[in-house]
Structure formats: C-alpha cells, structure tokens
Amino acid sequence: VAEKQSLLGGESYLSNGVFYVVGTTLQETAGIGVSPEDTWAGRLAAEGSAWDEARAAYQKKLFDLAPAWIDRAQADYNAVFADPAAYRGTTTDIVLPKNGLGDMTSVMTPLRDALVSKGLTTTTGIRATAFILDEDGKVVGMRFRAEESNHVVDIQARAVVVATGGFAGNQEMMALNVPSQAEAGCLASCGHSM
C-alpha cells in the first residue's frame, strides 16, 4: 500500500470518526435494535430533493455495507469502538471510536497493525502521479512522487486499487478516469472528492 500521508490510513486519522450505521453487532450487543429499513427511510426523507436517484442509490450502497465493515474491523482487525449504550442522548444510528469524536487512532492503528502482521508492505509519503501501462494499455503499476524529496518511485503490480480522498465518490472524475465504474459514486457535488 502506498500512502500520500506519513501514516498508513492518511487523512482517516483526521476524521471525526462518526460512523453513520445501524445493524452492527456492536449495536445489537448494546441492546440497540434499530430497524435499518426505518433508519434508511428517515435519512431518505430528510435529504428530500437534495439527492437525485444516482446519489440516493450510492448512499444506500454505503448504508447497506457499513455494518459489515464495522463488524469486520472490530472482529478481524481489532478496531476499538465506544459502547453505543454509553452514548449521551438518544443517538441510535451511529458508532464512534473508542474515545469518542476524533479518536480514529483506536480504529486505524489496530487495522494497520493487523494488516502489516498479515504481510502487508507499505510505503508512506508518496503521491500517485500516473498509471504505468504495458504495450497493450493494461495498467501494470503506478508512478509516485516522494513528497519530501520529489524523487520518482515506480511500483509495478499485478493489480492496482486507487483509493483517494473521495475520488470514487465523484461520478464525473470516475467517468473520465475509470468509465466502467462511472456510476459507483455520487455526482460532482460531493465536496470531499479530490
């Protein structure tokens, strides 16, 4: 994994750590039995006309996949979340990191350490600048530039997965760069896309 920031996981460490999710094992264990269907209907109603059909479909995919991500991060990668039963107020559709808002270290550090223990190799402080293509135009790696030294680093690979600051959340950029996945994200109105 090549990471632009100095820590594997990058800007996720700066996140406030609010996971908008219902139906996790963590919530069920805490006695929070909120209906995902009712929660989704409420979110859809709250957004009103702000979401077009494509954006609503994208958000629904995220909503449906979020519980499995939380469960797996906790069970398989030792991520630590706060006990939802201890939250103040009546919030039943979120999960927070162990020490509350801004504590993404309790989620990201165990995730990183578990992946490294499984054989993941990492390089930090390099920014992707271009795909490396073979003579047939197939992607066979990525070119990076070291943030501090400005040196070029080429990494060849059997497969390349690009996960960058909401890139996949922007249909316009996806259509331009990865046409087969153009409908994976929301329209260009996603403010987090880089």
Side-chain angles (χ1 to χ4, degrees), residues 30-180:
I32 299 171
V34 179
S35 161
E37 294 80 15
D38 292 345
T39 301
W40 175 250
R43 286 192 189 165
L44 203 52
E47 292 302 324
S49 62
W51 287 354
D52 62 18
E53 189 175 325
R55 178 76 188 265
Y58 171 70
Q59 292 295 334
K60 180 72 163 95
K61 283 181 193 175
L62 294 178
F63 179 81
D64 290 344
L65 295 171
W69 188 90
I70 295 289
D71 288 349
R72 184 146 191 223
Q74 183 179 25
D76 296 347
Y77 296 97
N78 304 313
V80 184
F81 299 96
D83 177 2
Y87 297 168
R88 293 186 180 158
T90 59
T91 302
T92 57
D93 63 347
I94 64 170
V95 167
L96 297 172
K98 177 184 176 184
N99 296 311
L101 292 176
D103 175 37
M104 284 301 288
T105 299
S106 65
V107 175
M108 296 303 298
T109 300
L111 179 61
R112 178 203 63 207
D113 293 349
L115 290 170
V116 168
S117 76
K118 293 177 185 226
L120 176 72
T121 57
T122 66
T123 303
T124 58
I126 60 174
R127 178 185 298 268
T129 59
F131 290 105
I132 299 171
L133 307 176
D134 68 10
E135 59 277 355
D136 297 324
K138 180 183 175 202
V139 175
V140 294
M142 289 295 297
R143 170 161 286 179
F144 297 89
R145 189 164 298 279
E147 291 286 292
E148 289 188 19
S149 67
N150 210 28
H151 286 109
V152 171
V153 178
D154 286 346
I155 299 177
Q156 298 209 2
R158 289 187 308 265
V160 173
V161 176
V162 177
T164 171
F167 182 93
N170 186 311
Q171 282 185 350
E172 182 180 354
M173 285 192 292
M174 290 296 289
L176 179 63
N177 294 280
V178 192
S180 66

